[in-house]
Amino acid sequence: MQPAISVLGMGRMGSALAHALLKAGHPTTVWNRTPAKAAPLAAAGAEVAASVRNAVAASQVVIVNVSDYQATQSLLRDKEVAGALEGRLIIELTSGTPDGGREAHGWAQRQGARYLDGAILATPDFIGTEAGTLLVSGPSAVFEEGRNVLGALGGNVQFIGEDPGLANALDSAVLALMWGALFGALQSIAVCRAEAIDLGVLARQWTATAPVVEGLVSDLIKRSAAGRYDADAETLSSVSPHYSAFHHLVDLMEARGIDRTITGGYEAIFRRAIEAGHLHDDFASLSQFMGQPA
């Protein structure tokens, strides 16, 4: 028989997690602050706990997926609930900070519980599928204990390391990539609207350009990892042509009254790198200036 699991939090993601566990054959208990949100899970075969303590007491594995770590603390650090955690495995799948994960791990240990911190790199429709990606960090022995449970949630479960903060650290790094693309798309849309370019044309151009962008990003990461900041025979592009083209964008945005909040940040990084003598170095040289305060 599959181990019993309790899931705290029945938002869209928490509900998807519970459905995936039920599908995998796990006896599943769910709890939500608003009981009505748990009703569809009851219809699917889950037990609905009347309280957080009852949910914790029902299973040896407790998965938490609520709004943030503060919300998790309000649930688990209640005296009665905390007293029921001894011997249990807590899998925290709430987004948070690396230090938050480390602190939560230490607290769980003091309650006699085992702890894994995780980040979900997927929308709810990917949960329970082979493409569902979860980043997990914490003691490797505890990860091995929870591997089968995590495998029910997604086919691409990645153990990031023993440090409980690493899953959310990598999650933030990946989100930075995603938001860079999304905010870049917002700028592109603003430019197209200002210049009366149909957005369908932009969509087609993105499809054609995306492989080029992907190659540039992959090269940037590779060169930064190796510290290869000088321009060489394999350089795809140096800072100089990027900075020149960037000013064309800035001029257009100023002429059309387009918000320059994001490009102001680009400008600051460009200037710091150029003032340090990197104008003709590989674009990866800019990575040396992102880890410093402005």
Side-chain angles (χ1 to χ4, degrees):
M1 178 178 290
Q2 298 280 39
I5 316 291
S6 290
V7 182
L8 307 182
M10 288 295 103
R12 290 185 64 236
M13 183 61 77
S15 295
L17 297 173
H19 277 295
L21 292 168
L22 286 168
K23 184 177 180 181
H26 290 277
T28 303
T29 298
V30 299
W31 175 88
N32 194 72
R33 195 178 300 278
T34 304
K37 287 189 176 181
L41 272 302
E47 293 291 328
V48 179
S51 68
V52 176
R53 189 188 186 288
N54 288 351
V56 168
S59 307
Q60 286 298 304
V61 180
V62 180
I63 296 176
V64 187
N65 184 254
V66 288
S67 58
D68 53 34
Y69 281 12
Q70 186 174 357
T72 297
Q73 291 177 12
S74 71
L75 300 179
L76 297 187
R77 302 195 185 190
D78 173 87
K79 186 175 181 179
E80 288 191 1
V81 175
L85 290 173
E86 185 172 1
R88 284 168 170 74
L89 168 59
I90 302 170
I91 302 177
E92 174 69 89
L93 295 180
T94 296
S95 295
T97 65
D99 283 345
R102 295 174 184 122
E103 191 279 333
H105 173 258
W107 180 85
Q109 282 189 314
R110 292 192 294 275
Q111 314 315 307
R114 300 176 307 289
Y115 181 90
L116 292 173
D117 204 85
I120 302 171
L121 293 184
T123 50
D125 52 311
F126 280 89
I127 298 301
T129 72
E130 285 301 310
T133 298
L134 286 84
L135 310 178
V136 183
S137 55
S140 57
V142 180
F143 173 74
E144 290 303 324
E145 176 190 348
R147 182 190 287 274
N148 289 339
V149 172
L150 291 162
L153 305 178
N156 186 27
V157 176
Q158 300 180 27
F159 179 63
I160 306 303
E162 297 263 348
D163 179 345
L166 292 180
N168 268 303
L170 183 56
D171 180 49
S172 292
V174 173
L175 288 173
L177 275 173
M178 180 187 74
W179 287 324
L182 291 175
F183 276 100
L186 292 175
Q187 286 187 306
S188 298
I189 290 167
V191 168
C192 287
R193 285 175 171 166
E195 293 292 327
I197 298 172
D198 186 273
L199 293 184
V201 174
L202 175 62
R204 291 192 293 275
Q205 189 57 50
W206 166 245
T207 299
T209 306
V212 178
V213 176
E214 182 179 353
L216 288 168
V217 171
S218 295
D219 183 70
L220 170 60
I221 295 171
K222 179 177 69 175
R223 293 185 71 101
S224 296
R228 292 174 54 210
Y229 300 127
D230 294 341
D232 55 33
E234 296 181 346
T235 287
L236 299 178
S237 188
S238 63
V239 173
S240 178
H242 278 282
Y243 192 54
S244 177
F246 170 74
H247 277 290
H248 300 321
L249 171 63
V250 170
D251 290 344
L252 186 161
M253 295 177 76
E254 287 184 345
R256 295 298 189 183
I258 298 172
D259 184 278
R260 283 199 53 208
T261 302
I262 296 172
T263 51
Y266 297 166
E267 177 77 33
I269 299 300
F270 269 127
R271 285 178 182 257
R272 287 161 63 192
I274 291 167
E275 288 170 2
H278 295 283
L279 179 63
H280 300 294
D281 287 339
D282 193 278
F283 190 84
S285 64
L286 271 66
S287 70
Q288 301 172 95
F289 300 89
M290 291 295 293
Q292 305 171 2

